[in-house]
């Protein structure tokens, strides 16, 4: 195989990755991030959780060279961000804090600037900008000056900027912050779409329900130290003594008796409870394999399942338990 | 997980190209900003005021000679236009990236901070040049009205020096903009330095102590006005007062005035530009977005 073709093939199979290696940031005696070791590889969405001041934003800033680490390395696709920023960030879309855009520019101009800086081919620039703006539902505002926009509208443009260059890694710092419920839902849809495009998404959030809804894995940090990094179900089951909780949505109304009957048919279920009219929750032992089996068994029962997801309250329980342990 | 991802076919342009991109969009932002229109209005007002006053009173100091006209009109006002431009476009240029959080939009991209710094500096320089250009045009139109089409060579030299001085002022304001954490503080300190402090230090040092103030930027900027004076002013002028001229009796006092010569003035302007621009860039490189 010719060298050039081999090179292209090699590039095609590179998995997107981010890695913190002994990453630390100290402000005097205060350790904002302390010897963080975290390697995330492959196309997935990872939620980055922790209380205020835990070091989430500091970590993301070190991954984007807004802050230099006191020690350790931040690597993206194997490239040190601080030594080779241009190369490391060439395939990374970012949204850190709530950026402001030059007020006299229009979204089209602001995104053109980013597209040009990122080297989006001229022929594709216009289409990509319009697609990105359409994705965040800001088409009508594309040629209006940003200075007059609300916080939420600016946040949408910043989300558009993060996805504009079709990056392989997307770093998001509380991406739904400042958005109204519809905006939050739309941004979640965008993140899910990015997942489908096989991107690595690393997002910090305070909203556990959002992380449950969108993410495959979760990393929890507190006092600058990583507490856990695992799949959502493993984290919840580990902390709750091996018990996982899933929330099941049905097409039709469900009553308590029906829920009990379902639970009785599946002996590995620890507990089943009705949540509201069409949803109920199942507590069971085991991780992803048990979760897969449960879904298969429920589908076989033909009870009209329309949704099946890890319960956010399970994550909340795990989160609180982990954070409490560090106080 | 073993899913793979194709890398995008984007090709990040060179740092020099990125400087151009930053300059272009920052200039658009400046050009449409309220501050540009305020500065333009101030410049037009200065021009209009001079036009009306000279036209109405026909002062000899302006109309006796062609060089006298340019010296009085341009030599006295251009430096203020330059200082205001520097303050308006440079005062918050860098500190705003942190304080207003615009840096969070542009910097987490594959671009060096130096490209952003130089790009913004060039944009501020271009916007200020546009303002200075308008003031130059007003001066020339009036000069042509009174003295015909023969614009003196000394005026062209003076415009060139003014342009160099503008670069130096921009360099200086960018340095202060990198140094401070608040745009208000940066702008106020820069304004005080250029409008009062430098002139005061210059006067005290030269007049009272008798030392040439070669370390003051505004002293170097004297060449903008001096070049319009024929013959070029003496480097050192000592004016004595009182004393009666009696041998051995010294009851009077003398004041020393220094006039920057062209090579010294250019050197001061050039060194200020290089030193402040580089220091500002270093500060911007090491400053963190930790707020």
């Amino acid at each position: 195989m010719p060298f050039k073709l081999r090179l292209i093939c090699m590039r095609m199979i590179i998995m997107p990755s981010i890695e913190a290696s002994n990453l630390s940031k100290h402000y005097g005696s205060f350790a904002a991030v302390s010897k963080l070791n975290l390697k995330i590889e492959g196309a997935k969405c990872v939620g980055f959780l922790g209380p205020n001041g835990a070091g989430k934003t500091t970590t993301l800033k070190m991954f984007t060279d807004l802050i230099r680490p006191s020690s350790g390395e931040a690597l993206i696709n194997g490239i040190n961000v601080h030594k080779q920023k241009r190369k490391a960030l060439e395939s990374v879309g970012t949204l850190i804090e709530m950026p402001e855009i030059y007020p006299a520019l229009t979204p089209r101009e602001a995104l053109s600037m980013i597209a040009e800086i990122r080297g989006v081919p001229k022929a594709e620039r216009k289409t990509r900008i319009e697609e990105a703006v359409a994705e965040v539902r800001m088409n009508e505002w594309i040629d209006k000056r940003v200075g007059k926009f609300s916080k939420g509208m600016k946040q949408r443009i910043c989300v558009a900027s993060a996805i504009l260059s079709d990056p392989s890694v997307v770093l998001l710092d509380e991406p739904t912050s400042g958005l109204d419920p519809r905006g939050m839902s739309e941004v979640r849809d965008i993140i899910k779409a990015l997942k489908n495009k096989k991107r690595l998404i690393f997002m910090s959030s305070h909203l556990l329900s959002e992380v449950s809804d969108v993410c495959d894995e979760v990393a929890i940090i507190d006092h600058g130290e990583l507490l856990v990094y695992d799949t959502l179900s493993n984290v919840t089951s580990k902390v709750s003594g091996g018990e996982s909780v899933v929330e099941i949505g049905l097409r039709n109304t469900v009553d308590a008796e029906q829920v009990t009957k379902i639970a009785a048919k599946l002996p590995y279920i620890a507990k089943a409870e009705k949540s509201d009219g069409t949803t109920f929750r199942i507590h069971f032992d085991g991780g992803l394999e048990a979760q897969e089996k449960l879904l298969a068994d429920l589908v076989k029962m033909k009870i009209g399942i329309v949704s099946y997801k890890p319960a956010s309250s399970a994550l909340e329980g795990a989160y609180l338990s982990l954070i409490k342990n560090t106080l | 997980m073993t899913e793979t991802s194709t890398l995008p076919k984007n090709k990040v342009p060179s740092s020099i190209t990125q400087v151009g991109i930053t300059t272009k969009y920052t200039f658009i932002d400046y050009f449409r900003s309220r501050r540009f229109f305020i500065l333009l209005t101030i410049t037009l007002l200065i021009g209009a005021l001079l036009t009306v006053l000279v036209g109405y009173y026909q002062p000899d100091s302006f109309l006796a000679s062609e060089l006298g006209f340019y010296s009085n009109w341009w030599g006295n006002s251009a430096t203020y236009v330059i200082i205001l431009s520097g303050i308006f476009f440079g005062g918050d240029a860098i500190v705003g990236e942190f304080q207003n959080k615009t840096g969070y939009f542009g910097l987490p991209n594959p671009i060096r901070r130096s490209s952003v710094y130089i790009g913004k500096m060039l944009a501020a320089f271009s916007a200020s040049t546009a303002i200075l250009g308008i003031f130059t045009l007003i001066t020339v139109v009036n000069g042509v009205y009174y003295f015909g089409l023969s614009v003196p060579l000394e005026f062209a030299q003076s415009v060139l020096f003014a342009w160099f001085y503008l670069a130096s002022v921009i360099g200086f304001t960018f340095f202060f903009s990198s140094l401070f954490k608040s745009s208000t503080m940066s702008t106020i300190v820069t304004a005080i330095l250029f409008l009062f402090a430098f002139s005061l230090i210059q006067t005290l040092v030269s007049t009272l102590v008798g030392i040439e103030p070669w370390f003051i930027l505004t002293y170097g900027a004297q060449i903008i006005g001096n070049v319009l004076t024929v013959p070029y002013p003496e480097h050192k002028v000592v004016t004595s007062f009182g004393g009666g001229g009696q041998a051995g009796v010294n009851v009077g006092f003398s004041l020393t005035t220094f006039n920057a010569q062209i090579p010294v003035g250019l050197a001061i302007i050039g060194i200020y530009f290089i030193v402040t621009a580089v220091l500002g860039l270093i500060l911007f490189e090491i400053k963190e977005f930790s707020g």
Side-chain angles (χ1 to χ4, degrees):
Chain A
M1 191 188 289
F3 176 72
K4 209 171 169 184
L5 191 61
R6 218 166 54 218
L7 200 69
I8 291 167
C9 291
M10 276 169 68
R11 283 170 68 85
M12 295 283 281
I13 57 163
I14 288 173
M15 276 196 296
S17 71
I18 64 168
E19 182 179 358
S21 171
N22 280 320
L23 194 63
S24 301
K25 182 67 188 176
H26 297 274
Y27 295 102
S29 59
F30 172 70
V33 175
S34 182
K35 291 185 179 170
L36 180 69
N37 284 296
L38 176 66
K39 186 167 185 178
I40 302 168
E41 227 174 354
K44 61 178 87 165
C45 181
V46 180
F48 195 33
L49 297 172
N52 289 330
K56 303 186 297 293
T57 301
T58 305
T59 304
L60 284 167
K61 282 179 179 175
M62 286 193 278
F63 270 111
T64 47
D65 200 40
L66 292 171
I67 284 180
R68 273 174 305 282
S70 305
S71 60
E73 290 182 318
L75 307 164
I76 296 180
N77 293 328
I79 301 158
N80 187 310
V81 176
H82 308 283
K83 288 181 181 156
Q84 290 176 276
K85 181 192 174 186
R86 272 163 51 87
K87 191 153 179 54
L89 294 185
E90 71 179 358
S91 186
V92 182
T94 63
L95 172 60
I96 309 294
E97 291 212 351
M98 287 188 78
E100 281 291 330
I101 303 165
Y102 295 141
L105 298 185
T106 64
R108 190 190 293 281
E109 289 162 344
L111 295 175
S112 287
M113 179 175 79
I114 299 299
E116 285 181 46
I117 285 172
R118 303 194 72 92
V120 174
K122 199 175 179 183
E124 294 174 27
R125 224 174 276 157
K126 188 172 180 284
T127 321
R128 285 226 215 153
I129 289 167
E130 285 172 359
E131 279 172 4
V133 170
E135 204 145 0
V136 294
R137 311 272 199 278
M138 288 289 289
N139 327 40
E140 284 177 38
W141 302 86
I142 192 165
D143 292 314
K144 303 271 193 305
R145 291 194 195 171
V146 174
K148 293 194 169 80
F149 286 8
S150 70
K151 231 174 176 182
M153 291 161 87
K154 285 180 201 166
Q155 185 78 344
R156 283 167 186 253
I157 299 302
C158 292
V159 171
S161 150
I163 59 173
L164 179 68
S165 60
D166 196 18
S168 64
V169 175
V170 184
L171 304 175
L172 305 168
D173 183 20
E174 296 180 27
T176 55
S177 169
L179 296 175
D180 57 26
R182 197 182 71 166
M184 289 166 101
S185 160
E186 285 164 5
V187 168
R188 276 182 215 133
D189 288 344
I190 291 170
I191 297 169
K192 285 174 189 167
L194 283 170
K195 268 172 70 178
N196 293 336
K197 285 185 187 171
K198 306 276 184 261
R199 305 292 178 240
L200 192 167
I201 304 145
F202 187 53
M203 60 175 265
S204 77
S205 178
H206 279 301
L207 303 173
L208 300 178
S209 57
E210 182 173 274
V211 171
S212 292
D213 183 28
V214 172
C215 298
D216 311 297
E217 296 178 355
V218 63
I220 301 180
I221 185 175
D222 192 21
H223 293 110
E225 289 178 18
L226 186 71
L227 302 180
V228 67
Y229 167 54
D230 211 329
T231 60
L232 218 55
S233 54
N234 282 351
V235 168
T236 52
S237 62
K238 262 183 210 166
V239 175
S240 59
E243 188 180 272
S244 300
V245 184
V246 288
E247 197 169 83
I248 293 144
L250 298 183
R251 197 174 52 207
N252 303 314
T253 314
V254 60
D255 56 37
E257 196 184 331
Q258 194 183 351
V259 171
T260 317
K261 270 186 198 167
I262 293 167
K265 283 182 191 166
L266 304 170
Y268 54 89
I269 290 181
K271 194 169 110 186
E273 59 195 357
K274 191 186 154 195
S275 299
D276 57 43
T278 55
T279 58
F280 68 100
R281 299 153 69 89
I282 288 180
H283 299 243
F284 61 98
D285 292 331
L288 279 177
E289 278 178 27
Q291 194 174 319
E292 188 184 355
K293 183 176 177 351
L294 174 64
L295 176 62
D297 288 342
L298 288 170
V299 169
K300 271 186 219 157
M301 286 182 189
K302 295 188 176 166
I303 52 177
I305 294 177
V306 290
S307 70
Y308 180 88
K309 60 180 181 183
S312 59
S313 64
L315 179 61
E316 191 176 306
Y319 174 84
L320 290 174
S321 162
L322 283 163
I323 297 301
K324 199 165 60 186
N325 289 340
T326 69
L327 286 176
Chain B
M1 254 193 218
T2 55
E3 281 106 323
T4 58
S5 161
T6 55
L7 290 180
K9 50 195 167 185
N10 307 332
K11 191 176 181 309
V12 177
S14 70
S15 289
I16 292 170
T17 308
Q18 289 180 329
V19 167
I21 296 164
T22 309
T23 304
K24 181 172 94 178
Y25 288 100
T26 311
F27 182 77
I28 294 172
D29 184 53
Y30 282 153
F31 187 70
R32 290 182 190 153
S33 67
R34 197 177 295 162
R35 75 182 79 181
F36 187 86
F37 287 100
I38 292 172
L39 194 56
L40 183 64
T41 309
I42 292 172
T43 307
L44 291 175
L45 276 177
I46 295 171
L49 197 68
L50 284 168
T51 305
V52 170
L53 289 176
V54 173
Y56 186 75
Y57 291 106
Q58 306 267 314
D60 277 352
S61 58
F62 275 78
L63 302 180
S65 71
E66 198 178 19
L67 268 184
F69 170 83
Y70 284 103
S71 173
N72 282 296
W73 187 297
W74 168 266
N76 291 332
S77 317
T79 51
Y80 287 102
V81 173
I82 289 167
I83 290 166
L84 286 177
S85 298
I87 292 167
F88 270 59
F89 296 119
D92 70 343
I94 299 301
V95 69
E97 293 285 308
F98 297 86
Q99 200 186 6
N100 305 333
K101 296 197 169 182
T102 46
Y104 288 97
F105 185 71
L107 284 170
N109 280 296
I111 184 169
R112 288 194 174 95
R113 285 193 187 194
S114 53
S115 299
V116 174
Y117 186 87
I118 297 167
K120 292 200 79 162
M121 197 181 239
L122 288 174
F125 186 61
S126 308
S128 302
T129 298
I131 296 290
L132 188 65
I134 289 165
F135 188 67
T136 310
L137 192 69
I138 296 169
T139 309
V140 170
V141 168
N142 276 275
V144 167
Y145 176 75
Y146 291 110
F147 298 99
L149 282 169
S150 62
V151 179
L153 183 68
E154 287 85 352
F155 177 65
Q157 265 184 301
S158 180
V159 171
L160 192 65
F161 295 160
W163 200 51
F164 291 158
Y165 180 51
L166 174 65
S168 202
V169 170
I170 296 281
F172 197 94
T173 53
F174 266 64
F175 165 61
F176 269 76
S177 191
S178 297
L179 188 65
F180 286 101
K181 283 186 174 175
S182 140
S183 54
T184 313
M185 185 64 91
S186 157
T187 307
I188 288 174
V189 171
T190 312
I192 290 172
L193 275 177
F194 275 99
L195 297 175
F196 309 107
F198 278 165
S199 309
L200 187 68
I201 297 166
Q202 191 180 319
T203 309
L204 289 174
V205 165
S206 63
T207 311
L208 300 178
V209 189
I211 295 171
E212 183 181 9
W214 53 266
F215 42 87
I216 304 280
L217 177 57
T218 48
Y219 173 68
Q222 277 185 354
I223 60 169
I224 296 167
N226 286 351
V227 77
L228 295 167
T229 309
V230 176
Y232 196 92
E234 287 287 321
H235 174 229
K236 185 176 179 181
V237 179
V238 182
T239 314
S240 298
F241 298 91
Q246 272 184 290
V249 181
N250 190 12
V251 291
F253 65 96
S254 61
L255 295 178
T256 310
T257 312
F258 287 94
N259 290 298
Q261 302 301 292
I262 290 175
V264 173
L266 287 176
I268 294 170
I269 290 171
I271 290 169
Y272 255 94
F273 171 70
I274 293 166
V275 171
T276 54
V278 170
L279 281 178
L281 176 58
I282 292 168
L283 285 173
F284 184 51
E285 288 276 3
I286 60 174
K287 221 168 173 179
E288 297 193 332
F289 285 78
S290 52

